[in-house]
Amino acid sequence: MENVGAHGARGELKKKELRQEYRKLILETEEEKEELLRPGNEGLTEKVTKAQKLFSHVKDTREGVLDSRFMTLAVALGVKKTQQVDTNFVSFDYDTYVAKLNQKVRGDLEDTLTSVEADKNFWHQFDRMTYKNWKSIVPTINPLLGALGGLPDKKRKQSQRTKEDRMEVKQEKPQKLSRDKRQTNEDKEATPEEIEKIFSIIQKLYSHDPSPIDYWELVTNPHEIDGFGRTIENIFHLSFLDKDGLIRIFFDERELPVVEPLVRDISAKRTRKPKDTHQCIVSLTMDDWENIIDTFQLQGKDPLIPATEVTT
């Protein structure tokens, strides 16, 4: 058991070092943008080669996200560098074109013609040479022979409802819920047990790796049957922990939401200042849920927040 624990600790240390190497590579690339975009600079190629070596050691989603962020940055720099390449190898020479056109149209005209006669002859020859190419394209004018015939009017049939038909429609009143039923529904939406369970999971994950936890990996349930509904419930329950000051949700250097606990005991609630709080509406569709599973490679994995079995 000690050998297994030591092996797992070494694996986590290697993953942490790999993430540090990726963050260092991304930071260097962002700081050296101007230098990498200069013609003849091979720095971008070297950094991509280094990223490929790091990618051979990637096995988890967190390292894969960092690799994806670097490749996005490298592709953007590659596009800018490609746009700076001068591809105008063939240029249009107006003087040469006019000289060849003049020689082709005029041909061997007599030099005895005056300038006015030469211009008239030029345009006459030019019209004869180009007319055969355009006569099938330019439409001819065809006048109408008389007015268009009258079209028959469409008559709409009006359906009349009798008083008996209107009386047959049954009027249904909305169902009224008693106070006890409303209270029961509210208790089912968010129970203290669910919130405590999620907080203990966050504490356990943070104790193994004291770094912010990816928000979408935490709340997403990839199961096909009820995974989408469970994901919505996890987002809802997590908002209570954030409101009570037990956790903090913020964006990391990858511009992705992460979660971090603020207290060790769930009973120790913190009072936040108004400027420290921020409310927003999270919109999540089935397509968004499937895209998150594909992006973070969660298909086939167990959710970090297991579903609670409901007993009847």
Side-chain angles (χ1 to χ4, degrees):
M1 293 298 292
E2 293 179 357
N3 294 333
V4 175
H7 180 71
R10 287 195 298 270
E12 291 297 330
L13 182 60
K14 290 182 180 180
K15 292 178 183 178
K16 188 173 182 180
E17 293 176 353
L18 182 61
R19 292 195 295 268
Q20 291 177 353
E21 289 291 333
Y22 264 115
R23 293 190 180 100
K24 181 180 178 182
L25 182 61
I26 293 172
L27 181 62
E28 291 177 353
T29 305
E30 291 178 346
E31 292 178 350
E32 300 174 4
K33 281 183 180 180
E34 300 297 333
E35 186 69 22
L36 295 175
L37 290 176
R38 292 184 180 179
N41 190 298
E42 300 295 334
L44 185 59
T45 304
E46 296 175 358
K47 294 186 182 301
V48 172
T49 304
K50 182 178 180 180
Q52 290 178 346
K53 294 180 180 179
L54 294 176
F55 184 73
S56 61
H57 303 287
V58 173
K59 295 181 180 180
D60 288 343
T61 306
R62 299 183 65 182
E63 292 78 17
V65 171
L66 291 175
D67 181 79
S68 177
R69 182 184 175 190
F70 169 76
M71 293 306 299
T72 302
L73 178 61
V75 169
L77 293 176
V79 172
K80 291 183 180 179
K81 196 167 185 178
T82 304
Q83 292 175 349
Q84 294 178 358
V85 178
D86 186 11
T87 58
N88 191 17
F89 301 108
V90 180
S91 59
F92 183 76
D93 190 353
Y94 297 97
D95 295 334
T96 304
Y97 171 75
V98 172
K100 290 183 178 181
L101 179 63
N102 191 21
Q103 181 180 3
K104 178 69 175 177
V105 176
R106 292 183 185 275
D108 299 330
L109 295 178
E110 298 181 359
D111 298 335
T112 57
L113 297 177
T114 62
S115 59
V116 177
E117 293 176 347
D119 292 339
K120 290 182 179 180
N121 196 353
F122 172 83
W123 291 113
H124 180 68
Q125 291 292 112
F126 183 77
D127 179 59
R128 290 175 55 188
M129 295 174 61
T130 58
Y131 173 73
K132 60 183 179 181
N133 299 323
W134 298 99
K135 65 179 181 179
S136 61
I137 299 176
V138 180
T140 57
I141 300 176
N142 296 322
L144 295 174
L145 299 178
L148 296 175
L151 298 178
D153 295 335
K154 294 182 179 180
K155 296 182 179 180
R156 296 180 59 184
K157 296 181 179 180
Q158 296 181 356
S159 59
Q160 296 181 354
R161 298 178 60 186
T162 61
K163 185 176 180 180
E164 291 76 9
D165 295 336
R166 291 193 296 268
M167 292 296 294
E168 291 179 357
V169 179
K170 297 181 180 179
Q171 297 182 355
E172 296 182 359
K173 295 183 179 180
Q175 182 181 2
K176 294 183 179 181
L177 295 178
S178 62
R179 185 180 182 279
D180 296 336
K181 291 184 178 180
R182 292 197 301 268
Q183 186 66 29
T184 303
N185 293 334
E186 292 176 359
D187 293 341
K188 289 182 179 179
E189 289 179 351
T191 60
E193 290 78 9
E194 285 291 328
I195 296 175
E196 291 180 6
K197 182 191 75 172
I198 295 177
F199 184 73
S200 62
I201 292 173
I202 295 174
Q203 290 284 60
K204 184 177 180 180
L205 294 174
Y206 195 76
S207 62
H208 290 307
D209 185 5
S211 60
I213 306 167
D214 288 342
Y215 177 84
W216 292 118
E217 290 186 29
L218 177 64
V219 300
T220 303
N221 189 316
H223 291 173
E224 296 182 358
I225 300 177
D226 58 348
F228 178 73
R230 298 293 184 183
T231 302
I232 298 299
E233 291 180 0
N234 294 336
I235 294 174
F236 178 70
H237 294 153
L238 204 66
S239 64
F240 285 93
L241 295 174
D242 181 66
K243 183 189 69 172
D244 294 338
L246 300 175
I247 63 172
R248 182 168 72 104
I249 303 175
F250 61 97
F251 289 95
D252 62 358
E253 67 277 1
R254 305 167 298 169
E255 297 299 327
L256 293 175
V258 292
V259 180
E260 186 179 50
L262 297 178
V263 296
R264 295 184 179 180
D265 188 4
I266 193 171
S267 61
K269 296 184 179 181
R270 297 181 56 184
T271 57
R272 292 185 176 181
K273 298 179 180 179
K275 64 179 182 179
D276 297 334
T277 60
H278 176 72
Q279 296 182 356
C280 64
I281 299 176
V282 179
S283 176
L284 187 69
T285 63
M286 288 286 291
D287 294 336
D288 298 334
W289 174 69
E290 293 175 354
N291 292 334
I292 291 172
I293 295 176
D294 295 337
T295 302
F296 291 91
Q297 299 178 359
L298 302 178
Q299 188 67 37
K301 295 183 178 180
D302 294 332
L304 296 180
I305 303 177
T308 303
E309 297 295 335
V310 180
T311 59
T312 57

